[in-house]
Amino acid sequence: MRTRRSLIDLDDLSGDEIDWIFERAHAFDARAPGPLLEGVDAVNLFFEQSTRTFTSFNLALMRLSANVVNLSPKDLSLATKGESVEDTMVTLAAMGVSVVVVRHPVGGFPGRVAAAFDGHTVNAGDGAHAHPTQALLDLFTLHEEFDSLRGRGVAIVGDVAHSRVAHSTIRGLLRLGAEPILVGPESLLGAADAIAGTRIERDLDAVLGSVDAVILLRIQRERFAEMPLSDRDYVERYQLGSRRLSRLAPHAIVMHPGPYNRGMELDETVLEFAGWRYARQVHNGVFIRMAVLDLLVNGARERVG
Ligand code: NCD
């Protein structure tokens, strides 16, 4: 029986493990933990462009003293020489690789990797399916701000339908007792309408005054053939700028998984807003990934904190 733990979506973690990851990330931020992954060989397998997530996983692995190899499609026989993903995983495992971090444009690909690989697979984002470490860092950033998320209103604005971040973060918010409100036109919320426990709103102005946090999303144009509404309409109805920021409660924060597009989902005033937490999310991401890798490879040991 396979005993190595993988993280494909948030459901792979228990509530206690999520708490453990948060405690651990907090502790790692306060003090570098030392070589917890010394002697561990890891491969970053990124089939899609990535700035934040790639750098963040790389730093997380290096700060724990793992040996890291970075592979992108041009380096892979699997992309050009007809090797199957299953055979690639056998190859990597035979070299002693025990951690694979994988990003792929097709939803479900990391699940295939995990099924074939005798090691730990970490999903760094697959299609529009899931992005569990981004969800964890989003939840951690909210937890840092508000402690308990129970009853907290979190508006998720824009292209929920194509966002793997939204799909994972919504699951996490619901598990931690928060109240996700999905805001956008029908065409951009898509199947999200069906997510039980979420509220749907079309009018951003109507929700701003009552939420504790707003998570903005990029319009993921690479994932659909035609933008369902004009950029002008989108900006008019959903862009966050000074007028809408002034409607927020004084304690409310604004988040974004990045990359953000100035002039679309936000304008420059958001970047100057006191409650803008983007940099904090990115900062937290490294420690969350260190904690996830530590959990998967070494197991949840003593509670910290
Ligand atoms: C996102 C992604 O790639 O899923 N960014 C990220 O990983 N932080 C969101 C996006 O591409 O818009």
Side-chain angles (χ1 to χ4, degrees):
M1 196 185 83
R2 195 179 299 282
T3 51
R4 309 247 196 143
R5 294 280 313 269
S6 289
L7 178 64
I8 306 302
D9 203 353
L10 277 191
D11 300 349
D12 294 321
L13 299 170
S14 69
D16 276 355
E17 285 170 332
I18 293 176
D19 287 347
W20 187 91
I21 288 168
F22 287 0
E23 283 178 26
R24 208 78 174 152
H26 184 71
F28 289 174
D29 190 3
R31 207 167 128 231
L36 295 177
L37 295 189
E38 189 159 31
V40 171
D41 295 327
V43 169
N44 283 318
L45 201 57
F46 276 59
F47 292 85
E48 228 187 51
Q49 291 91 338
S50 171
T51 306
R52 272 149 291 271
T53 307
F54 175 72
T55 309
S56 187
F57 267 111
N58 238 310
L59 288 174
L61 285 161
M62 291 193 295
R63 287 183 192 176
L64 296 175
S65 305
N67 304 316
V68 191
V69 174
N70 292 311
L71 286 176
S72 59
K74 67 175 174 20
D75 310 314
L76 287 163
S77 304
L78 141 78
T80 53
K81 296 188 186 172
E83 187 175 34
S84 73
V85 57
E86 286 74 16
D87 293 338
T88 303
M89 298 329 294
V90 169
T91 306
L92 294 180
M95 287 183 215
V97 171
S98 58
V99 174
V100 165
V101 178
V102 59
R103 167 169 287 199
H104 198 280
V106 176
F109 189 88
R112 269 182 74 190
V113 168
F117 180 48
D118 184 15
H120 310 277
T121 305
V122 189
N123 182 2
D126 59 333
H129 172 235
H131 195 346
T133 58
Q134 178 70 41
L136 287 167
L137 76 89
D138 288 347
L139 297 169
F140 181 70
T141 304
L142 287 162
H143 166 71
E144 230 180 17
E145 196 76 32
F146 302 120
D147 195 13
S148 168
L149 298 198
R150 194 149 293 282
R152 294 284 177 185
V154 180
I156 303 179
V157 186
D159 186 10
V160 174
H162 301 97
S163 171
R164 53 194 173 208
V165 175
H167 293 145
S168 291
T169 298
I170 290 166
R171 289 172 107 92
L173 288 170
L174 290 170
R175 278 182 68 177
L176 300 186
E179 292 169 10
I181 306 157
L182 313 186
V183 189
E186 202 173 352
S187 49
L188 292 182
L189 297 189
D193 278 307
I195 299 176
T198 58
R199 204 174 102 205
I200 307 290
E201 286 287 347
R202 305 276 169 235
D203 182 359
L204 178 57
D205 294 298
V207 301
L208 286 174
S210 62
V211 295
D212 300 288
V214 177
I215 300 179
L216 300 173
L217 298 172
R218 182 177 67 89
I219 302 215
Q220 286 151 82
R221 296 177 198 268
E222 71 277 19
R223 304 228 166 93
F224 43 67
E226 219 175 288
M227 175 76 172
L229 71 169
S230 72
D231 285 9
R232 221 179 122 163
D233 278 354
Y234 187 83
V235 166
E236 171 78 19
R237 294 173 63 189
Y238 298 109
Q239 184 185 79
L240 196 59
S242 59
R243 181 179 62 79
R244 291 194 167 116
L245 283 173
S246 67
R247 290 176 177 254
L248 288 171
H251 70 275
I253 62 168
V254 179
M255 295 163 53
H256 195 307
Y260 52 80
N261 288 171
R262 298 173 190 223
M264 273 305 287
E265 66 269 22
L266 51 77
D267 76 9
E268 315 268 329
T269 59
V270 175
L271 311 179
E272 307 291 322
F273 176 60
W276 174 234
R277 290 290 178 273
Y278 169 74
R280 191 68 202 165
Q281 291 171 267
V282 176
H283 172 90
N284 288 338
V286 179
F287 302 104
I288 284 289
R289 291 181 173 113
M290 288 166 73
V292 164
L293 290 160
D294 182 30
L295 173 77
L296 296 179
V297 177
N298 297 320
R301 300 176 306 284
E302 81 286 1
R303 299 284 292 215
V304 287

